[in-house]
Amino acid sequence: MKKILVIHGPNLNLLGKREPEIYGTVTLKKINESLKKMAATHRVAVEFFQSDHEGEIVSKIGASVGTVDAIVINPAAYTHTSVAIRDAVAAVKVPVIEVHLSNIYSREPFRHESLVAPVAVGQISGFGQESYELGFLAALELAGAGKSGKRDAK
Ligand code: DQA
């Protein structure tokens, strides 16, 4: 069975209460539940990991080699600062999709640069919960478990 890892960076555990005018009122639990349903529909395994700690996220990405077929990550504030997370993504050769709830390009200038995006397969930004769902669809494709994978299997 293919496996997709979903990584949530710092402060995303606070979703629902955190700056709802920017991030909406959806909780992390709700986002994970929706991805869990998508995983079940496509018969893939999914693992969720949230951490406020850069090193833990780096270690989680490093441990994904050989055990995970694609990663969806919202690096949150580390998007804009973490050379270590970028290097981990570049090192593992597991396809990575970067997602953001808000449109980082319509916000403060310091959010306009992502250190992770150049080493990710792609980035989805600005669609709220749907950013994760669109990212998950992309991960399914990259893991070979999406629509085109199913077509190939027939
Ligand atoms: C975020 C955008 C980041 O700039 C911010 O630091 C976050 C959340 C988003 O999902 O919109 O924590 O990644």
Side-chain angles (χ1 to χ4, degrees):
M1 194 185 236
K2 302 285 188 182
K3 181 170 174 183
I4 295 172
L5 171 64
V6 180
I7 301 178
H8 306 286
N11 300 310
L12 293 172
N13 53 320
L14 304 177
L15 282 180
K17 293 188 190 126
R18 175 191 180 199
E19 300 183 273
E21 64 289 356
I22 296 172
Y23 300 114
T25 52
V26 71
T27 60
L28 200 58
K29 192 165 171 247
K30 278 257 181 283
I31 291 173
N32 288 350
E33 275 166 9
S34 135
L35 301 184
K36 227 184 260 176
K37 276 191 198 147
M38 290 175 74
T41 303
H42 290 83
R43 294 192 175 78
V44 301
V46 61
E47 179 185 347
F48 300 102
F49 180 77
Q50 191 277 326
S51 177
D52 293 337
H53 302 279
E54 185 177 18
E56 285 183 4
I57 295 171
V58 169
S59 298
K60 193 71 188 174
I61 294 168
S64 69
V65 181
T67 63
V68 163
D69 298 287
I71 298 174
V72 176
I73 184 169
N74 184 347
Y78 290 137
T79 305
H80 319 295
T81 63
S82 180
V83 175
I85 291 176
R86 175 205 174 104
D87 284 356
V89 169
V92 292
K93 305 247 187 298
V94 177
V96 172
I97 300 105
E98 178 184 327
V99 302
H100 298 283
L101 295 149
S102 64
N103 178 352
I104 57 173
Y105 303 100
S106 68
R107 299 183 62 194
E108 305 94 321
F110 68 85
R111 295 186 203 275
H112 295 181
E113 189 184 6
S114 167
L115 300 189
V116 177
V119 291
V121 178
Q123 184 199 65
I124 298 161
S125 175
F127 300 96
Q129 174 173 348
E130 281 75 32
S131 289
Y132 278 95
E133 293 164 355
L134 293 166
F136 200 81
L137 282 178
L140 287 168
E141 286 298 328
L142 293 164
K147 269 195 202 155
S148 47
K150 276 194 185 150
R151 264 203 303 278
D152 288 344
K154 273 182 195 162

